[in-house]
Structure formats: C-alpha cells, structure tokens
Amino acid sequence: MDSALRIALQKSGRLNEGALYLFKECGLEFQNGVGSRLLRCEAVNFPVEFLFLRDDDIPAYVQDGVVDAGVVGLNVVRERACRVEVADELGFGKCRLVLAVFKGAPYKCVRDLAGKRIATSYPRILKTYLDEKEIVAEIHQISGSVEIAPGIGLADAICDIVSTGSTLVANGLREIETVLHSQAVLVVQPHLPASKQALLARLRFRMQAVRRAGHTKYILLNAPNSRLGEIIGLLPACKSPTVLPLALEGWSSVHSVVEEDRFWEIIEKLKQAGAEGILVVPIEKMVI
Ligand code: PRP
Ligand code: ZN
C-alpha cells in the first residue's frame, strides 16, 4: 500500500482517544479494531494507515516524511520546532502552557521571575517567550512531574501544561501567566506528492464536517405566521431557515441550525417571539 496515506497518532495519552473518535466519525473502519497494542493499522474502507507513536516524536516523523501527517498537540509542535505545516486545529485536547509559582510566593507576573529558576519540559517555548519579553531567567529542563520542582527546592517557578488545573492545585501552585494556548492539530508534511494531497483533502473534508457538526445543533420549532419574520430573523442558518406550513391554519414549522455556544441565548429570544414546541437535536455531519 505505497499510495496509502500514513498518519501518526499518539500511542497513549490525552489525545489518543479524541483522535480515534474523530477518525471513526469520518467513517473509517479497521479490520481488527484499533487496539492498544497494535502500533500500526490500516483502514479497510479508505487508503489510510495509522501509526501509533510517542507524541514527542510525531513532528520529526512528519517533517522527515516517514509519515505524511500526524495528530499532535500544538505545544509539542512548537517545542520540537520541526518544518511541518499546521493544517487544522481539531478542537479537542485543549490546554495551556502556563507559568506557575507557589501560592504564597511574591511573584505576580513574568517580570518578577527575572534571575529566578524555572523548571519546565518546554525549554524552547519558554526561552522564546522570555526572550520576547527581554527577561533573563535560568531554565531548568526536566522531563515530567514538573509541578514538584518548587516543593523540593529545584526551582522558583514552573512552566507546564494545565488542562483541568487540578495538578497545580494539588501541588499548592498558582498560575501567573499563559505562555501558549494549545489543542490537538493536524500537521502535514510540507512537500506531499499530489496523489497524497488529494487523499488528505478528502479526509480533511470529512474531518471538517465532523468538527462543524460537533458545535452545531439542528433546531425545529412551531411559529405563528404573524411573527414568522421576527422568528426567522433570530435564526442563523446555512442559507436561510426552512419554513413549512403546519396542518394547523396560521402556523408554520421552522427548521434551522444554531451554534452550540449561542444556543441558550437564541432559545430564550425565540420563546419570547412566540415560538412553541422547540426541538433541538444533534447533527452528525455537516457539509456546507
Ligand atoms: C500533564 C501536565 C500537567 C498535567 C496537567 O502531565 O504536565 O502536569 O498533565 O493536567 P491537569 O491540569 O488536568 O491536572 P502528565 O499527566 O502528562 O504527566 P507528566 O508531566 O509527568 O508527563
Ligand atoms: Zn505533568
């Protein structure tokens, strides 16, 4: 399968599940399922093969053309500084790289860390950040359990990933600055041959449809014809809402799509405008 697309995914860890879910929703099927021990598997209904790798290695594999693309955290992409194209943000695995200090420490912002020691697994990103702010600090590189560093006298501050924030709290730390916002991204080898670019375009088209559907809802409601104009004005839609007459004289059924984050605000206004029988249903795929 020379011409199949090769995509690297995280072997285990926070992004693995989200990536597998996304590709499953894209309709990809695998002969023996995707197990935790299989480090390589081919889809049976699309020319794509997945390789399960350590996330730190993914940017270099993509850069060197060992794989055509990969799903990895933007934090890893930036730290590795490989020549890869960030093609899409995938909307899951959201986290931040932050500077944090002991709760009782006198440091309020990054300027207060001049001349201090900062422990991190992200020395490159941190160095760039400090250079931009013209702050000189001592960067102490460690590869994990970074939050322990201030407690054992190894550092005055840390620069590490925060997702829920519970690790910071558990270690008596508080954040003082956000260095980078991160999430899962699709990275692509910059010089893909045309045949692979075409395959990737097909897959990205599906991924975008799944993503779009994920934050959009389908809404159906009944509206008195006398207030139809007002109600339609409240509804955004792909083109314009669908309006169908109800069997009941003077009423119509209106169908549209709404963004999940505007959902409650719109529902309240619709009710005030006289809408009844409002149904909101999930959308599985959305192609526009
Ligand atoms: C990551 C990160 C933080 C923690 C943040 O560590 O380095 O320590 O998760 O998550 P939270 O905000 O939800 O608590 P990970 O579990 O990957 O372990 P490691 O840093 O020791 O590799
Ligand atoms: Zn950690």
Side-chain angles (χ1 to χ4, degrees):
M1 43 187 258
D2 281 354
S3 56
L5 259 187
R6 260 193 184 173
I7 301 184
L9 305 183
Q10 192 183 23
K11 185 171 68 151
S12 56
R14 293 166 197 243
L15 300 189
N16 171 276
E17 208 174 298
L20 288 177
Y21 175 78
L22 175 62
F23 288 113
K24 196 179 129 265
E25 290 296 302
C26 289
L28 303 188
E29 287 169 15
F30 301 89
Q31 192 132 43
N32 303 311
V34 186
S36 54
R37 281 166 194 282
L38 273 184
L39 294 182
R40 193 171 170 172
C41 66
E42 285 171 27
V44 291
N45 57 352
F46 193 93
V48 64
E49 175 184 38
F50 290 104
L51 266 58
F52 293 90
L53 305 171
R54 273 202 51 150
D55 62 347
D56 286 342
D57 296 333
I58 292 177
Y61 274 97
V62 174
Q63 169 186 271
D64 300 343
V66 178
V67 295
D68 304 310
V71 173
V72 66
L74 185 65
N75 53 319
V76 177
V77 179
R78 293 286 177 256
E79 184 59 29
R80 298 282 135 186
C82 291
R83 284 183 306 281
V84 296
E85 224 170 78
V86 177
D88 292 306
E89 294 185 332
L90 301 177
F92 62 90
K94 288 192 177 166
C95 61
R96 290 175 302 123
L97 185 66
V98 306
L99 284 166
V101 298
F102 259 142
K103 261 197 209 116
Y107 318 120
K108 289 194 174 55
C109 67
V110 61
R111 312 226 154 266
D112 300 334
L113 298 180
K116 306 290 174 200
R117 291 164 306 159
I118 310 174
T120 188
S121 317
Y122 295 87
R124 185 192 296 263
I125 299 176
L126 178 58
K127 174 84 169 60
T128 308
Y129 182 79
L130 293 174
D131 285 353
E132 270 168 18
K133 309 227 169 242
E134 297 179 343
I135 293 165
V136 180
E138 188 187 321
I139 298 177
H140 189 88
Q141 183 176 355
I142 47 180
S143 54
S145 304
V146 175
E147 293 86 350
I148 211 170
I152 57 174
L154 204 61
D156 306 293
I158 64 157
C159 176
D160 198 21
I161 293 293
V162 169
S163 168
T164 61
S166 56
T167 311
L168 278 193
V169 171
N171 288 282
L173 302 171
R174 72 180 157 86
E175 41 178 288
I176 55 169
E177 305 265 358
T178 295
V179 174
L180 176 81
H181 288 270
S182 180
Q183 62 175 290
V185 292
L186 179 76
V187 286
V188 178
Q189 213 262 104
H191 307 291
L192 274 191
S195 61
K196 292 207 169 178
Q197 273 182 31
L199 282 178
L200 190 69
R202 280 173 61 199
L203 202 54
R204 284 177 64 198
F205 174 81
R206 295 187 189 190
M207 288 161 79
Q208 278 152 14
V210 173
R211 274 252 313 115
R212 211 175 280 127
H215 50 78
T216 315
K217 301 276 180 225
Y218 195 78
I219 181 167
L220 305 96
L221 57 87
N222 296 331
N225 288 348
S226 57
R227 304 190 72 180
L228 212 46
E230 191 183 340
I231 287 175
I232 288 172
L234 291 169
L235 288 169
C238 291
K239 270 210 170 62
S240 83
T242 306
V243 181
L244 303 163
L246 282 189
L248 182 67
E249 185 83 25
W251 283 79
S252 296
S253 168
V254 181
H255 301 196
S256 189
V257 291
V258 292
E259 293 281 318
E260 187 150 45
D261 43 5
R262 292 201 52 212
F263 168 81
W264 288 111
E265 172 201 331
I266 290 176
I267 298 281
E268 281 164 15
K269 289 186 182 150
L270 287 171
K271 284 196 67 168
Q272 282 162 14
E276 291 182 8
I278 303 173
L279 290 180
V280 178
V281 292
I283 297 174
E284 202 168 290
K285 310 282 188 292
M286 191 167 159
V287 178
I288 54 172

